[in-house]
Amino acid sequence: MSKHKLSNANQKRYFARFYLEAIENAEKDESVLNRKALVAAHQESCLFHLVSAYRCFVWEVAHTYNESFNQSMQLKDLIEQSRAQGKSLGELERLYDLENSDNSWLQRMLSLWQRINELDPDQSSQKKEAANLNAIEVRTFMEIDEFTQLSDWYDKLSLLIEEIRELLVEW
C-alpha cells in the first residue's frame, strides 16, 4: 500500500485499470464456470477503486491548499470551510459542479456506487419472476448497463486528475 497520500489517487487508478483488464479477460474466458459472478465482482471492485481515486484526489487538492479534509467530509463542506477562511478553491468548485451536474459522468459514477452500497436491496433491484427456486429470491440489478461505462469513467477521471494537477503545478 502507498505510504504517501499524494500517490493514493494514482495507486487507486492503477488498481481500477487492473480490474478493467480482469473484466476484459473474464468476459473472454468461456472456461470459467462462474464467469458472470467473477465479472460482477471485478466490476464492483473497479468502481470502488475509481470512487476511491476520486476521493483521494479531492484530499490531494485540499492538502495542496492546506485545507483539512477527511473521508467523512462532503466536498460541499470543504468548499464552505475554505470560503469561511476567505479562500476560493476553483479546482474543488469545478469538481463539485461536475459531481452535482445532472447526468454528468462523475455524478453517475458516484450515484452508482451509492446505490450499490444501499442497505435496502429493493431500492436498486427488481424481483425476478418466480421460477420455483424454493424460498430463494432472485433479484436482478438495474446497474448492469451502467457498468459498461467503467472504462469511459476511468479515462475521464484520469484526464480530469491530470488537468487539475497541471493547474496546481502552476499555482
Side-chain angles (χ1 to χ4, degrees):
M1 286 298 180
S2 176
K3 291 183 180 180
H4 304 287
K5 288 192 177 201
L6 292 177
S7 63
N8 279 352
N10 291 345
Q11 181 177 344
K12 296 295 184 181
R13 282 192 302 163
Y14 172 79
F15 290 155
R17 182 80 234 149
F18 171 82
Y19 280 110
L20 286 171
E21 291 172 11
I23 291 166
E24 226 176 273
N25 293 336
E27 287 175 338
K28 291 177 186 175
D29 188 357
E30 299 203 14
S31 67
V32 177
L33 295 176
N34 59 348
R35 183 172 42 165
K36 286 185 180 181
L38 184 61
V39 168
H42 289 330
Q43 288 172 329
E44 194 167 317
S45 295
C46 180
L47 182 60
F48 166 78
H49 287 292
L50 287 172
V51 171
S52 296
Y54 172 69
R55 294 291 291 173
C56 288
F57 182 64
V58 170
W59 179 91
E60 182 180 325
V61 174
H63 182 74
T64 301
Y65 285 104
N66 294 321
E67 290 292 324
S68 60
F69 178 73
N70 61 52
Q71 202 61 13
S72 64
M73 284 180 78
Q74 296 296 318
L75 186 53
K76 181 180 181 179
D77 298 332
L78 177 60
I79 291 171
E80 288 174 0
Q81 169 186 305
S82 68
R83 284 184 182 158
Q85 297 172 357
K87 293 181 184 177
S88 176
L89 308 179
E91 294 84 359
L92 292 178
E93 290 171 8
R94 177 180 173 191
L95 293 176
Y96 180 76
D97 289 343
L98 189 57
E99 192 177 295
N100 290 289
S101 175
D102 285 342
N103 221 14
S104 74
W105 66 269
L106 184 57
Q107 189 269 339
R108 287 191 316 270
M109 182 181 82
L110 295 173
S111 66
L112 176 58
W113 181 245
Q114 185 178 8
R115 285 192 311 270
I116 286 173
N117 289 296
E118 287 176 347
L119 294 176
D120 183 3
D122 290 330
Q123 296 286 332
S124 60
S125 65
Q126 299 172 347
K127 289 184 182 178
K128 196 172 181 180
E129 292 295 322
N132 193 13
L133 295 175
N134 302 331
I136 296 175
E137 187 177 279
V138 177
R139 305 191 78 79
T140 57
F141 285 87
M142 296 177 282
E143 288 88 13
I144 293 172
D145 291 339
E146 292 185 70
F147 278 119
T148 60
Q149 298 177 17
L150 287 172
S151 184
D152 186 45
W153 291 342
Y154 172 85
D155 292 339
K156 288 180 178 177
L157 180 63
S158 294
L159 182 62
L160 179 67
I161 289 173
E162 296 310 318
E163 283 177 10
I164 292 178
R165 281 182 177 161
E166 283 296 316
L167 294 173
L168 293 175
V169 169
E170 294 173 9
W171 183 74

